[in-house]
């Protein structure tokens, strides 16, 4: 393991943006928070304050929702579908033109290596907006042959739901904006976005592109603030028609309880504890690399992280020592250092949480098979770690850690592997490494998860539906399927 201090200098415009004043975006205009309060935004690589953003509250949320309602009933509705699509496409172009700036903002704010933000976060964001822009003109209903006497014309229409409250997490700050906003806007809704308090910067910069892209004021409003105040106010607002949320299962459950009062529509994309099964017939080099990437990508701060590894007993030691060697050799450092393979976690709180799990695992009898070393310089680093001697009742095996911690457990045969993999309350992702086609199919059918990876991990594409079984979620992102969650279906019956 090596640590380095050198780093590339951020672009001047990034520096200026980070250090400039930040505002809410309401009705197309910059606005101060009603309370005048600001939230500190921290640099995860140093633990120092990076900047401040407005600490929005229920009053700000209400102003934003009113603006979104006016835009929904007015200018956004009056545009043709192809005009809406062109605006969304133009937004994608503008993000792409500013790719380096967005990548640096997310790297600085979140702590992820700049190379990841450049290669994954920003290009995927652009792809999602482009993919969804094409659907504005393809929202179609059906006609029905009623089983009734007489002449009838019955058909369905797909209509936007209305004002969508979008609440997003900090692990992929800009990309999460696209995951929620692209389908919502393509379907003709308007939005109030509440970014995560840890990583609001790329969303605020995104807000500056909306007018140039051609969005009428109020179609997208952005309220920064805490989850407990701004997030909860959005969930409780009577004029919000739907909440779309990505984040922890515990907050998702709170939101589900809160919307029960007025039965708002809701999409929830939440946690995971995804099982990765490595069979003895796998190409072990591919499996070892794949399993390491499954857990260490984005520092394990990914809802699909392959956090529970199950390995066929005959190759258990070989696979675990291969992944441990990768963990031990990883270079940890600041996001803007080109040699960093892993950055700091997003926040002090997150660092303490993950370290707490490591302590609990050790107390419960888990053993470290391999671990890197974390720089000790005030940044929120946690070393990539592989744990063995893990039992299923341990918290490290049952709960989502959301950090670079892998547990490894042996299995005897395919049925044992499937049973252990499915013994979880989560169901977001799962997968296997095997060269046996029958095993690949059998395992894919039997795993209880919304996303299955075979000889790969974490594949994310706007064309393919994404979401969770069990306590990992309600609804789906991406693909044609996501439009079901951003439209109402109206059946119209005409007696002729
Ligand atoms: P994480 O554990 O990954 O930080 P959270 O679920 O706490 O995820 O946060 C995800 C998003 O949900 C953030 O934007 C956060 O501000 C928001 N949030 C947190 N608590 C609430 C709440 N009670 N109501 C609405 N939104 C919330």
């Amino acid at each position: 393991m090596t640590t380095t201090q050198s780093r590339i200098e951020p672009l001047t415009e990034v520096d200026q943006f980070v250090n400039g004043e930040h505002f809410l975006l309401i009705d197309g205009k910059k606005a101060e928070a009603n309370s005048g309060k600001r939230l500190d935004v921290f640099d995860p690589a140093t633990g120092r304050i990076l900047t401040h953003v407005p600490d929005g509250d229920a009053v700000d949320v209400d102003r934003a929702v009113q603006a979104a309602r006016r835009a929904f009933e007015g200018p956004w509705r009056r545009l043709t579908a192809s005009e809406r699509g062109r605006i969304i496409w133009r937004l994608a172009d503008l993000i792409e033109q500013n790719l380096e700036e967005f990548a640096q903002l997310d790297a600085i704010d979140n702590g992820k290596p700049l190379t990841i933000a450049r290669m994954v976060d920003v290009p995927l964001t652009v792809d999602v907006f482009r993919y969804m822009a094409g659907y504005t003109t393809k929202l179609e209903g059906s006609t029905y042959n009623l089983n009734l006497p007489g002449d009838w014309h019955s058909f369905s229409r797909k209509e936007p739901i209305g004002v969508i409250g979008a609440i997003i997490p900090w692990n992929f700050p800009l990309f999460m904006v696209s995951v929620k906003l692209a389908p919502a806007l393509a379907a003709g809704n308007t939005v109030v976005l509440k970014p995560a308090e840890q990583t609001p910067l790329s969303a605020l910069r995104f807000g500056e592109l909306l007018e140039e892209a051609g969005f009428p004021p109020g179609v997208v409003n952005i309220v920064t603030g805490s989850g407990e105040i701004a997030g909860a106010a959005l969930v409780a607002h009577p004029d919000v028609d739907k909440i779309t949320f990505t984040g922890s299962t515990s907050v998702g459950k709170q939101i589900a309880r809160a919307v029960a009062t007025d039965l708002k529509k809701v999409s929830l994309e939440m946690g995971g504890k995804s099982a990765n099964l490595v069979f003895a017939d796998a190409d072990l080099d591919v499996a070892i690399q794949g399993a390491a990437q499954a857990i260490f990508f984005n520092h394990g701060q990914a809802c699909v992280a392959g956090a529970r590894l199950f390995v066929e007993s005959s190759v258990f030691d070989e696979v675990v020592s291969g992944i441990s060697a990768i963990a031990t050799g990883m270079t940890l450092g600041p996001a803007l250092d080109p040699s960093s393979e892993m950055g700091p976690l997003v926040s002090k709180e997150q660092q303490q949480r993950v370290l707490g799990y490591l302590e609990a695992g050790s107390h419960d009898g888990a053993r470290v098979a391999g671990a890197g070393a974390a720089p000790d310089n005030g940044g929120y680093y946690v070393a990539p770690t592989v744990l063995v001697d893990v039992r299923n009742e341990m918290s490290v095996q049952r709960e989502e850690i959301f950090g670079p911690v892998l547990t490894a457990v042996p299995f005897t045969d395919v049925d044992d592997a499937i049973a252990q993999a499915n013994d979880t309350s989560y169901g977001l992702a799962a997968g296997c490494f095997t060269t046996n086609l029958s095993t690949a199919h059998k395992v894919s059918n039997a795993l209880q998860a919304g996303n299955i990876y075979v000889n790969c991990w974490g594949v994310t594409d706007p064309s393919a539906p994404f979401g969770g079984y069990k306590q990992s979620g309600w609804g789906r992102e991406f693909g044609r399927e996501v439009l079901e969650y951003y439209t109402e279906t109206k059946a119209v019956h005409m007696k002729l």
Side-chain angles (χ1 to χ4, degrees):
M1 182 344 281
T2 20
T3 62
T4 64
Q5 294 304 318
S6 62
R7 54 172 233 160
I8 67 156
E9 284 309 311
L11 295 170
T12 317
E13 37 294 29
V14 169
D15 236 4
Q16 282 171 352
F17 183 79
V18 171
N19 294 308
E21 265 218 82
H22 298 290
F23 298 93
L24 311 174
L25 180 71
I26 296 178
D27 210 8
K29 294 188 238 0
K30 291 181 170 180
E32 303 272 6
N34 155 68
S35 65
K37 288 193 200 151
R38 316 209 119 226
L39 284 177
D40 295 335
V41 181
F42 292 92
D43 177 352
T46 62
R48 290 196 285 269
I49 290 175
L50 190 61
T51 187
H52 309 273
V53 295
D55 188 4
D57 65 13
V59 175
D60 303 302
V61 166
D62 183 52
R63 283 154 59 209
V65 171
Q66 287 184 37
R69 174 64 57 193
R70 282 193 299 274
F72 177 69
E73 282 168 5
W76 192 232
R77 263 229 146 135
R78 284 197 292 270
L79 292 176
T80 65
S82 86
E83 281 166 339
R84 264 200 340 264
R86 261 209 315 273
I87 292 171
I88 298 171
W89 190 280
R90 199 167 324 129
L91 177 64
D93 287 345
L94 291 172
I95 296 168
E96 192 170 51
Q97 282 161 26
N98 293 283
L99 187 149
E100 180 63 16
E101 190 181 340
F102 277 112
Q104 291 193 10
L105 279 174
D106 269 357
I108 291 168
D109 210 4
N110 167 277
K112 67 178 67 200
L114 178 57
T115 43
I116 302 289
R118 276 179 186 154
M119 287 166 55
V120 180
D121 294 64
V122 189
L124 255 183
T125 303
V126 173
D127 279 354
V128 171
F129 277 113
R130 288 210 176 117
Y131 177 83
M132 282 297 159
Y135 272 126
T136 58
T137 49
K138 295 166 195 70
L139 293 164
E140 293 155 354
S142 304
T143 56
Y144 306 104
N145 297 321
L146 298 190
N147 189 26
L148 291 173
D151 290 329
W152 294 84
H153 176 47
S154 290
F155 61 96
S156 61
R157 289 166 48 79
K158 288 285 184 195
E159 296 182 352
I161 298 176
V163 174
I164 309 283
I167 301 175
I168 58 171
W170 43 259
N171 57 344
F172 296 94
L174 179 70
F175 172 58
M176 284 295 164
V177 173
S178 70
V179 172
K180 302 304 192 188
L181 267 58
L185 297 168
N189 302 283
T190 57
V191 180
V192 177
L193 170 68
K194 211 295 283 169
E197 46 272 59
Q198 298 86 347
T199 55
L201 298 180
S202 57
L204 292 173
R205 177 70 185 103
F206 165 91
E208 295 185 344
L209 303 179
L210 294 165
E211 189 179 351
E212 188 179 347
F215 285 94
V219 174
V220 177
N221 306 274
I222 304 176
V223 178
T224 52
S226 71
E228 295 72 27
I229 295 175
L234 196 53
V235 173
H237 199 292
D239 205 27
V240 170
D241 299 295
K242 174 183 169 117
I243 292 291
T244 179
F245 166 80
T246 295
S248 60
T249 293
S250 63
V251 171
K253 285 180 181 176
Q254 281 181 50
I255 290 176
R257 279 192 292 271
V259 299
T261 57
D262 61 358
L263 293 177
K264 280 186 182 69
K265 304 287 183 285
V266 63
S267 286
L268 303 171
E269 202 270 277
M270 303 178 288
K273 189 74 180 175
S274 301
N276 181 10
L277 317 184
V278 175
F279 288 87
D281 59 46
D283 177 331
L284 291 189
D285 290 338
V286 171
I288 288 168
Q289 283 295 334
Q293 182 242 330
I295 182 65
F296 298 138
F297 172 70
N298 216 45
H299 325 164
Q301 301 173 135
C303 46
V304 297
R308 291 182 303 144
L309 178 70
F310 297 97
V311 188
E312 196 160 355
S313 305
S314 58
V315 294
F316 183 79
D317 290 343
E318 184 180 352
V319 170
V320 168
S321 80
I323 300 169
S324 298
I326 293 174
T328 312
M330 282 188 103
T331 303
L332 274 70
L336 294 189
D337 183 330
S339 66
S340 298
E341 293 168 292
M342 188 180 278
L345 301 193
V346 72
S347 65
K348 179 97 192 152
E349 186 192 13
Q350 185 63 11
Q351 181 195 36
Q352 295 307 319
R353 232 183 119 245
V354 176
L355 292 175
Y357 273 112
L358 286 173
E359 248 178 68
S362 153
H363 177 265
D364 294 342
R367 185 169 54 82
V368 174
D376 183 15
N377 58 5
Y380 309 137
Y381 294 94
V382 173
T385 305
V386 180
L387 297 178
V388 291
D389 296 347
V390 170
R391 293 184 316 279
N392 208 24
E393 67 274 14
M394 294 180 182
S395 62
V396 287
Q397 187 70 346
R398 298 216 73 84
E399 295 171 23
E400 183 178 44
I401 297 176
F402 224 58
V405 179
L406 179 70
T407 59
V409 173
F411 67 80
T412 50
D413 58 23
V414 65
D415 292 330
D416 179 34
I418 291 166
Q420 293 202 61
N422 284 339
D423 185 8
T424 171
S425 57
Y426 291 110
L428 188 58
C432 68
F433 285 81
T434 179
T435 52
N436 182 316
L437 190 59
S438 296
T439 303
H441 278 289
K442 182 170 179 181
V443 167
S444 303
N445 291 348
L447 290 173
Q448 297 159 351
N451 307 277
I452 304 293
Y453 310 118
V454 176
N455 294 324
C456 62
W457 201 271
V459 175
T460 305
D461 189 277
S463 67
F466 176 94
Y469 282 28
K470 301 187 190 172
Q471 294 190 26
S472 288
W474 285 351
R476 288 293 179 274
E477 319 277 19
F478 303 143
R480 178 173 276 280
E481 200 149 332
V482 70
L483 296 164
E484 293 301 321
Y485 298 94
Y486 288 94
T487 50
E488 291 281 19
T489 303
K490 177 184 281 175
V492 182
H493 304 291
M494 296 184 176
K495 187 151 179 31
L496 305 180

